[in-house]
Amino acid sequence: MPETAIRSRKEFGKTIAADITHRLREEIVTCGLPPGEPLRFDVLRERFGASFTTLREALTALTAEGLVDAQEQRGFRVAPVSHQDLVEVTDARVLIEVELIRRSIEKGDDDWEIAVISTLHRLKRIEQRDPEHPLRDPEWKIAHRQFHQALVSACGSATLLSIRAELFDRAERYRHLSANFRPRPRDKAGEHQAIMQAAISRNADQAVQLIETHIRTTADNVAKYAGHLLDAE
Amino acid sequence: MPETAIRSRKEFGKTIAADITHRLREEIVTCGLPPGEPLRFDVLRERFGASFTTLREALTALTAEGLVDAQEQRGFRVAPVSHQDLVEVTDARVLIEVELIRRSIEKGDDDWEIAVISTLHRLKRIEQRDPEHPLRDPEWKIAHRQFHQALVSACGSATLLSIRAELFDRAERYRHLSANFRPRPRDKAGEHQAIMQAAISRNADQAVQLIETHIRTTADNVAKYAGHLLDAE
DNA sequence: TCGGACCATATTTTCGAAAATACTAGCTAT
DNA sequence: ATAGCTAGTATTTTCGAAAATATGGTCCGA
């Protein structure tokens, strides 16, 4: 069986469609495909090397995640950004993340504590190595995501975790949007450390308060430095 | 242009795929396609008269909504039910619905009040007409859905409304599951009336409390009367 | 008897062509 | 001039065939 040529595309799933979904999500979240960009099939076909139908399946999945906007009979485009959407995503994240942190702190066992501590440790290592532009570093992004994921992982609800993941991606897109205009990232390392400590010491109220501030501050910075990109056009 | 033959399928959207998605969702929510049922393409092809790819697109969309379960390379099946899933859906609904009711009560204007009152009125009319098995009556289902939708419609967050809608469908499936085993529906009419009054009089705390009880009681009844169908197989 | 390899069949997944629909530009009539 | 129509082009949407993969049964050797 010819192996590499075909398999090389399937890094993130057994099917090509799942793989394309993953790659497209990545491109959209990092604004490699900018908000509002029309997603024409010939272009995507060229770029991803898949057929109409496979691409369509991926776009349908991403539409449900709020990253793509389907206009019936008139194709797809990258979901536009707006001030309103940023506010909605931020509020929804706070609502859900706060609840999940509480539950995780209540239910988290030893493995949960270990996961929180070790993902933060990795994050800090990466930040030490290259403290410049975190969002530019794919490794930092993954470590950052995994730390926040670990914090809520013991909540016990796959349903809410999946909603949370969706909102996280939508928020991350806004972070990328503002990354190029932000003068210097604030001290996230300290915030993460504080959150971890509150969580491990089972201080739910403090953890919740820190997380809410963390999320809202990030969103405020997006509005501040990328505000001119929102609601444009 | 030949009109009826083709258009007759497209009741709920411009594209066939959107239409099939809608019809499949309906079948799954009402348990016409029972939980866990394998969704084979030849069968669906026969039943819905669409091609592989179109069906695949619909199934992908429903997978994202939590109504279909995709097993890569091994096809799709109706999402299974379980006690755990019921609990998760119920908890998530309470979390979100409570928040949206608060926001709607805070922001709702005259149009919102009118929508709440008139959708409840319609619901009661239908209940008077045929007070027997509400869930069997498609009109009651629609009216019921629209009343609850109206209650939260002024919350101001399309993002949260769409998450709410998804969870509502998943919960409705459980209601249908237990409908055949439930001796007699409890007095929902009274509950709806009370919720409406609390909402209109802007008594947020009471509305929230009533809604939470409403949701949890419904879920408890499902567990009570359809418990034997959960976690089976 | 049992486990594993192999083949035949059933099913899903992917593809590119064909049909349907939207868009654009140029024309006509008012 | 301009609104409305029409034809031609661009793009999406749908289809069924073909490829890839899983499933189930049979045979073989231990």
Side-chain angles (χ1 to χ4, degrees), chain A residues 64-119:
Chain A
E65 292 179 25
L67 291 174
V68 165
D69 186 26
Q71 307 163 288
E72 291 197 335
Q73 305 284 27
R74 303 200 297 140
F76 298 83
R77 61 175 176 166
V78 179
V81 291
S82 69
H83 188 74
Q84 166 73 13
D85 185 62
L86 174 59
V87 169
E88 288 190 14
V89 169
T90 305
D91 281 356
R93 283 191 72 206
V94 168
L95 174 67
I96 288 168
E97 195 101 18
V98 155
E99 172 76 9
L100 297 194
I101 280 279
R102 279 197 193 284
R103 293 193 196 179
S104 278
I105 286 178
E106 191 189 326
K107 298 184 189 173
D109 57 7
D110 287 353
D111 288 342
W112 172 71
E113 290 192 7
I114 291 170
V116 170
I117 292 169
S118 62
T119 51

Side-chain angles (χ1 to χ4, degrees), chain B residues 7-142:
Chain B
R7 280 291 178 177
S8 66
R9 288 212 206 107
K10 300 192 185 178
E11 292 180 45
F12 306 107
K14 282 188 180 177
T15 65
I16 294 180
D19 190 48
I20 303 272
T21 304
H22 190 283
R23 291 207 281 153
L24 251 172
R25 184 188 296 116
E26 194 65 16
E27 294 263 12
I28 292 173
V29 166
T30 59
C31 298
L33 289 166
E37 178 93 344
L39 296 167
R40 297 227 181 70
F41 281 98
D42 1 1
V43 179
L44 297 176
R45 211 139 169 281
E46 175 101 16
R47 187 161 188 168
F48 293 96
S51 75
F52 298 109
T53 354
T54 307
L55 287 165
R56 180 159 255 274
E57 187 181 330
L59 290 170
T60 303
L62 293 173
T63 298
E65 292 179 25
L67 291 175
V68 166
D69 186 25
Q71 308 162 288
E72 291 197 336
Q73 305 284 25
R74 303 200 298 141
F76 298 84
R77 60 175 177 166
V78 179
V81 292
S82 68
H83 189 74
Q84 166 72 12
D85 185 61
L86 174 59
V87 169
E88 288 189 15
V89 169
T90 305
D91 281 356
R93 284 192 71 206
V94 168
L95 174 67
I96 288 169
E97 195 102 18
V98 155
E99 173 75 8
L100 297 195
I101 279 279
R102 279 197 193 284
R103 292 194 195 179
S104 277
I105 286 178
E106 190 189 327
K107 297 184 189 173
D109 57 6
D110 287 353
D111 288 342
W112 171 71
E113 290 192 7
I114 291 170
V116 170
I117 292 170
S118 62
T119 51
L120 176 61
H121 181 73
R122 175 176 314 179
L123 184 59
K124 292 205 285 194
R125 267 292 158 81
I126 294 172
E127 282 169 346
Q128 283 168 7
R129 197 188 58 199
D130 174 20
E132 273 314 304
H133 288 283
L135 268 181
R136 298 268 176 77
D137 183 351
E139 276 193 79
W140 184 89
K141 266 179 46 195
I142 293 170

Side-chain angles (χ1 to χ4, degrees), chain A residues 27 41 45 152 212:
Chain A
E27 294 264 10
F41 281 98
R45 210 139 169 280
V152 295
E212 172 158 1

